[in-house]
Amino acid sequence: MATINQPGQPISALPLADSVSPTDTLLGIITKAGATGANQVTILVLAQSISAAIGLDDAVEAAEAAAASASAKAEAAGNAASDTVMASRGKAGGLAALDLLGQLSLTDGKSLVPALKVLPATQTESALLSLLLTLDATARVRTVDGDVLISSFADRVLASKTFFDETGALRVTPANVGTLPDDVTVKDGLYYAGVKSLPTGLSNNGGLIITDGSVFYPGTYGNGGILAVNPNTSGA
């Protein structure tokens, strides 16, 4: 862009520039090192001079340095928090974690050790908890029918005071326990009556043994009312 002022033409009469670029120049009177004279100054040089004069360059540099410092501090704080969490896992009053399989796990701060495994509930079965920890004698196992001391757990199992039902859930053996006649037979997992009379709680329906659930017969369960073999036992 170039504008030539004719002798006697006022500056206000000159055309206005609708835009400028960094390489465009301004004409002005500049005093530098004690000398005053007419000079041409590019828009870029003028902008840089103004930026330096008002401290904008220093402000940008300071902002960049502050941002870099804040980023480094945030990273350090994140690492410290992660280290704190890892160090507190597996300790009294500390933290636990879920591993990649969703199992409750403990750790010494370096690696995860599965502690509890939860089998989710379905429409027909309750959720089950699988213990993977070593327990002391004061620990209790919570069954669907009550709590059992771990110290007496083995004795109760051996004494047939507990059993695993058809779903795999641990249960306390009911008070009413019966014995099946020795001439009953099993076919396809179902019990069939022989010639001997059936005991309390059982009836004969075309050969199939029906149970009303009032008496527990070890190794069996009521499958829709039909006496069936409990898959989690050795049978009757």
Side-chain angles (χ1 to χ4, degrees), residues 88-136:
S88 67
R89 287 177 177 170
K91 296 182 179 180
L95 302 173
L98 295 180
D99 63 15
L100 295 178
L101 298 177
Q103 299 176 150
L104 179 62
S105 301
L106 301 177
T107 179
D108 57 5
K110 296 180 180 180
S111 60
L112 291 176
V113 179
L116 302 175
K117 181 178 181 180
V118 177
L119 302 178
T122 65
Q123 291 182 341
T124 58
E125 297 181 6
S126 301
L128 297 178
L129 185 64
S130 175
L131 295 175
L132 302 176
L133 287 177
T134 301
L135 304 177
D136 64 23

Side-chain angles (χ1 to χ4, degrees), residues 6-60:
Q6 299 297 325
Q9 183 180 9
I11 293 178
S12 60
L14 295 176
L16 296 176
D18 56 0
S19 63
V20 292
S21 68
T23 57
D24 289 343
T25 60
L26 295 174
L27 180 64
I29 304 299
I30 297 177
T31 299
K32 184 177 182 180
T36 300
N39 288 267
Q40 296 186 67
V41 182
T42 65
I43 297 296
L44 178 60
V45 170
L46 182 62
Q48 291 173 337
S49 299
I50 294 174
S51 175
I54 65 177
L56 183 59
D57 292 347
D58 293 337
V60 171

Side-chain angles (χ1 to χ4, degrees), residues 74-88:
E75 182 177 0
N79 291 337
S82 177
D83 292 342
T84 300
V85 169
M86 290 298 292
S88 67

Side-chain angles (χ1 to χ4, degrees), residues 179-181 184 197-204 209-215 217 220 225 227:
T179 302
L180 293 174
V184 300
S197 298
L198 294 175
T200 303
L202 302 179
S203 60
N204 188 332
I209 299 178
I210 307 300
T211 177
D212 61 11
S214 62
V215 179
Y217 291 91
T220 74
L227 196 67

